[in-house]
Amino acid sequence: MKSLKKLSLLTLFAALMVIMAACGGSASTDKKEENTSKEKPKTEEVKELSGSLVVSGSSAMQPLVAAAAEEFMAKNPKVDIQVNAGGSGTGLSQVSEGSVQIGNSDVFAEEKIPDKASELKDHKVAVVGMTAAVNPKVGIKDIKKDDLIKVFTGKITNWKELGGKDQKIVLVNRPDSSGTRAIFNKFALDGATPAEGVTEDSSNTVKKIISETDGAIGYLAFSYFTDDTVTPLAIDGVEATAENVQSGKFPVWAYQHSYTKGEPTEIAKAFLDYLMSDDVQTTLLKEQGYLPVTKMKVERDAKGTQKNL
């Protein structure tokens, strides 16, 4: 009898252990289900972007912004972005009027539309460096800034005066409306007005003319120096490189601005945030020949005053 009692007690104890384990497992399962149910709303909170965005302005910025727009639309298939050129002045005027959501510009709004600049919000998305470019037969690779000004104002007319070949200097300019011209005049020529010469609206055409014309000089963004058909000039012994622009040593550079009228709309803000992302700043900008604004060690204001960051 004692053996049976012991066996019964053991059986009862084992049954209790099974019941307790089952209850614990159930509680654990309940907690997991509860946690899972709490996590679900987080996924549901992600809102899919949809709608359209129109961007216009700087022709120099168009390839960059268009490439970024393609990538952004691939990530957000319900968003449509149209990127138009037309020049910095056009972009600033149209965003000020409200006909586009983003206006791209090579220059500060204060320089183009000072009476309406206060209505616009500046988003600096990239930096462009540029320098004088000459035909390789000219025979020089470096020029003093004072001499560069004399060349473009017509005071020096032959390259032999600067140690180059005996060739007449042929000036190749951009039109007055060009943001590239405005940047070059301001930071390379210290505001001097260039003499008359060949005037072309496209940087690709400017490069072609310089490469095919003995004695020619013009100016181009760094992104156009992809081969040896033209020679980029160092200025005062400082080479035209990304590193020298970022450190503030090379003088001819400017921001690439994307302006909105006041705070950006939801889609515009999302796209501007994407332009500032690592994907664009460290990869796409380099591919397009621009410099990341996030790597700059100096900054400039609308007056051209530069200071260290």
Side-chain angles (χ1 to χ4, degrees):
M1 290 294 292
K2 288 182 180 180
S3 298
L4 286 174
K5 285 182 180 179
K6 287 182 182 179
L7 182 61
S8 298
L9 287 172
L10 287 172
T11 304
L12 179 61
F13 181 73
L16 285 171
M17 292 297 291
V18 170
I19 292 168
M20 288 175 67
C23 290
S26 175
S28 177
T29 304
D30 289 344
K31 285 181 181 179
K32 286 180 182 179
E33 289 176 356
E34 184 180 347
N35 290 337
T36 303
S37 65
K38 286 181 180 178
E39 291 173 0
K40 284 181 180 178
K42 292 182 181 179
T43 305
E44 293 168 1
E45 286 173 5
V46 178
K47 183 180 178 182
E48 188 175 13
L49 285 174
S50 64
S52 61
L53 183 67
V54 182
V55 184
S56 75
S58 165
S59 57
M61 287 180 68
Q62 187 186 26
L64 166 65
V65 178
E70 286 295 325
E71 291 186 357
F72 186 81
M73 287 188 288
K75 297 174 184 289
N76 300 275
K78 291 186 178 181
V79 173
D80 178 66
I81 302 177
Q82 182 180 336
V83 183
N84 303 320
S88 297
T90 298
L92 290 169
S93 296
Q94 289 183 342
V95 74
S96 177
E97 294 164 358
S99 57
V100 301
Q101 289 78 50
I102 296 176
N104 292 328
S105 176
D106 301 323
V107 296
F108 283 89
E110 291 90 329
E111 299 177 76
K112 283 281 186 183
I113 51 171
D115 55 328
K116 297 181 179 179
S118 61
E119 302 173 0
L120 304 180
K121 185 174 178 62
D122 186 6
H123 308 270
K124 301 178 183 71
V125 298
V127 167
V128 60
M130 60 183 65
T131 191
V134 297
N135 182 284
K137 296 178 183 177
V138 162
I140 69 166
K141 294 184 177 180
D142 189 3
I143 191 168
K144 293 179 180 178
K145 194 175 187 182
D146 288 343
D147 289 337
L148 184 63
I149 294 170
K150 290 175 183 177
V151 166
F152 271 93
T153 54
K155 294 177 181 176
I156 294 177
T157 59
N158 194 299
W159 288 112
K160 68 180 180 181
E161 298 178 59
L162 298 176
K165 299 292 180 64
D166 183 5
Q167 291 179 344
K168 180 182 176 181
I169 294 173
V170 179
L171 299 179
V172 185
N173 274 309
R174 297 290 299 278
D176 290 337
S177 60
S178 165
T180 301
R181 174 173 173 146
I183 295 166
F184 188 79
N185 287 5
K186 186 171 185 176
F187 298 113
L189 305 183
D190 290 344
T193 302
E196 291 296 321
V198 179
T199 301
E200 286 294 338
D201 191 39
S202 163
S203 290
N204 282 316
T205 306
V206 168
K207 180 180 179 180
K208 187 172 187 294
I209 292 172
I210 294 171
S211 68
E212 295 176 351
T213 307
D214 289 347
I217 181 172
Y219 40 89
L220 294 165
F222 290 0
S223 55
Y224 288 90
F225 300 117
T226 56
D227 51 43
D228 58 2
T229 58
V230 299
T231 301
L233 293 184
I235 298 177
D236 289 331
V238 181
E239 293 185 4
T241 65
E243 293 74 18
N244 286 336
V245 166
Q246 289 163 352
S247 68
K249 293 179 182 178
F250 192 79
V252 194
W253 65 271
Y255 294 110
Q256 301 290 266
H257 309 260
S258 289
Y259 280 96
T260 58
K261 189 170 184 178
E263 292 299 324
T265 61
E266 182 184 29
I267 297 175
K269 184 181 185 305
F271 182 56
L272 290 168
D273 287 345
Y274 181 67
L275 288 174
M276 295 302 295
S277 69
D278 286 342
D279 285 348
V280 174
Q281 290 289 312
T282 62
T283 304
L284 187 59
L285 285 185
K286 187 176 181 180
E287 292 172 0
Q288 293 290 328
Y290 293 90
L291 312 181
V293 69
T294 53
K295 299 290 185 182
M296 293 297 291
K297 298 176 183 177
V298 294
E299 65 177 3
R300 273 183 178 154
D301 59 21
K303 295 179 180 178
T305 304
Q306 182 171 295
K307 66 178 182 180
N308 294 329
L309 288 171

